[in-house]
Amino acid sequence: MENLHGSLYGRSFLIDYLTPDEYFQFNGRMCGLDRNTVNERIRRYERFLGPEILEEKKFIRNLSAGNKQKIGIVNALLQNPQIIILDEPFNFLDPTSQSLLKHMLQHYGEEHKADPCIESQPEPHHRPQYAHRPDGKRIAHP
């Protein structure tokens, strides 16, 4: 079963007493995905996630903010959604991870004919907010 929508809004949705693998498997089961399918989809993002997330058995609560962000982003892609809405996905990511994420979303959009939207607001006092598409188009929110 594929989902139409995947999203990331902050990190409060993470279940911090699970390991990343347990979290991905839990969310996969909630969406009707078996363990092998979840593992196969996670392997697509191995380079982005890195060994601290994939190999060490740390609880999510013990990971850095950047690694928590990565878990949320990959979880949003787990069901192969056609529409992906990511709120400030570059927050807490190091420059290498930011670059990997940009290329990953471009590739995802091409492969799945999906439309990833990145919501961002450069300064807290500026309005309106914008959603950025991988093709460079910027969409203003009302």
Side-chain angles (χ1 to χ4, degrees), residues 7-55:
S7 61
L8 167 69
Y9 289 100
R11 295 184 321 271
S12 61
F13 63 89
L14 294 174
I15 304 171
D16 67 354
Y17 58 84
L18 297 178
T19 65
D21 181 60
E22 292 169 337
Y23 181 72
F24 291 134
Q25 294 300 331
F26 171 78
N27 282 298
R29 280 193 312 274
M30 296 297 291
C31 300
L33 303 174
D34 63 41
R35 175 172 275 285
N36 291 333
T37 302
V38 171
N39 290 340
E40 176 185 308
R41 292 184 183 182
I42 296 302
R43 275 192 295 275
R44 297 177 191 166
Y45 308 111
E46 280 180 324
R47 186 169 177 220
F48 178 67
L49 291 171
E52 184 176 12
I53 294 172
L54 295 176
E55 296 170 12

